[in-house]
Amino acid sequence: MTSGPAPTPGTGPVTRSVSRVLVLGANGPSGRRTVQQALGRGLRVDALTRRPQGFPTRHERLHVVGGDATDPGVVDAAVAACDAVISVIGAPFTRHPVDVYSTSARLVVSAMQRHGQRRLLTVTSTGLTPVDQRHDIPVLERLLAPLARRTFGRSVYDDMERMESVVSGSDLDWTIVRPPGLTDEPGTGYQSAENWVDGGYCARDDLATLLLDQLDDTRYLRKVVAVSTPGLQVRTWQTIRRELLKR
């Protein structure tokens, strides 16, 4: 298990340095934090959102791109301008079919291959991790997780799985990040490990920090990494309500 934001000694950079990053899902709560932290690190940022007029941040190194991550032309142009891509796309739970994760992933992978880009980070969920591999989560959540996976969360989780398959099947320098319940509490430093890490919650600030740390780190290159915020406690019902209603 490793902790952020400091990198582990001995890990090397990916093959190319990153100075400009494209953030998909930039206007969501995790996307906004990722954009803000990237700017704080001196990066140039392209923030892709369907609602550019509502994006709250203005900065000389920020380019807000209006468009949909499932539009081939929009994605191709956005990818061509950047050195790396971070996808923090999110969709609310629904019983209707969901394809935004997998469709955007296919377009991004194709565009990156076409333009010679390498570094791709995508965010899914620990909801894809089998419950018997998930340790140190509240009893109620342990009972509800399989129900959510089979019922109201099925269409979202199924498409996340398709997204992971598209990304992991590519020849890019990819990393798949699986956080647990995300919260708006201030970040206090993340812990991370391959596939699973103890902790039922992750501050969005800490998720953003991990994503940006991995831009030039090979620690989780072509791997699935789990991340959480140690010691963070949130009421289970608050998490369920927020995830169901995306509040």
Side-chain angles (χ1 to χ4, degrees), residues 5-6 21 29 52 63-65 68 75-76 104 141 174 187 191 221:
V21 61
H63 175 46
V64 180
V65 182
D68 197 304
V75 171
D76 186 77
S104 63
E141 195 169 334
W174 58 267
Q191 59 184 0
L221 192 64

Side-chain angles (χ1 to χ4, degrees), residues 109 161 163-171 174 176 222 224:
V109 167
E161 283 190 337
M163 179 190 206
E164 289 195 354
S165 179
V166 170
V167 171
S168 62
S170 76
D171 61 353
W174 58 267
I176 293 169
R222 299 193 179 93
V224 175

Side-chain angles (χ1 to χ4, degrees), residues 59-211:
H59 196 281
E60 61 183 3
R61 282 185 277 103
L62 173 64
H63 175 46
V64 180
V65 182
D68 197 304
T70 62
D71 183 318
V74 169
V75 171
D76 186 77
V79 167
C82 296
D83 304 315
V85 179
I86 298 176
S87 175
V88 284
I89 287 173
F93 287 137
T94 175
R95 293 184 179 275
H96 300 293
V98 172
D99 65 1
V100 63
Y101 297 99
S102 58
T103 299
S104 63
R106 291 188 188 96
L107 294 177
V108 166
V109 167
S110 177
M112 292 183 72
Q113 292 171 334
R114 186 161 48 252
H115 295 291
Q117 313 295 24
R118 299 297 309 166
R119 196 66 173 118
L120 171 62
L121 294 116
T122 60
V123 176
T124 57
S125 170
T126 55
L128 301 186
T129 307
V131 173
D132 58 3
Q133 297 178 24
R134 300 172 63 183
H135 313 294
D136 191 35
I137 62 174
V139 174
L140 179 59
E141 195 169 334
R142 183 178 293 275
L143 295 173
L144 290 175
L147 178 64
R149 182 67 180 84
R150 295 191 305 267
T151 56
F152 58 81
R154 181 174 179 176
S155 57
V156 167
Y157 287 134
D158 283 354
D159 199 42
M160 282 184 175
E161 283 190 337
R162 291 189 289 268
M163 179 190 206
E164 289 195 354
S165 179
V166 170
V167 171
S168 62
S170 76
D171 61 353
L172 301 176
D173 294 335
W174 58 267
T175 299
I176 293 169
V177 181
R178 290 180 178 175
L182 290 168
T183 77
D184 294 329
E185 280 75 15
T188 57
Y190 65 79
Q191 59 184 0
S192 61
E194 277 190 65
N195 300 317
W196 175 255
V197 67
D198 287 346
Y201 302 97
C202 183
R204 288 187 169 90
D205 286 337
D206 289 331
L207 172 63
T209 300
L210 174 127
L211 289 168

Side-chain angles (χ1 to χ4, degrees), residues 12-33:
V14 292
T15 54
R16 300 180 186 181
S17 62
V18 174
S19 62
R20 184 170 180 175
V21 61
L22 169 64
V23 179
L24 306 182
N27 215 5
S30 297
R32 291 181 181 185
R33 286 165 172 80

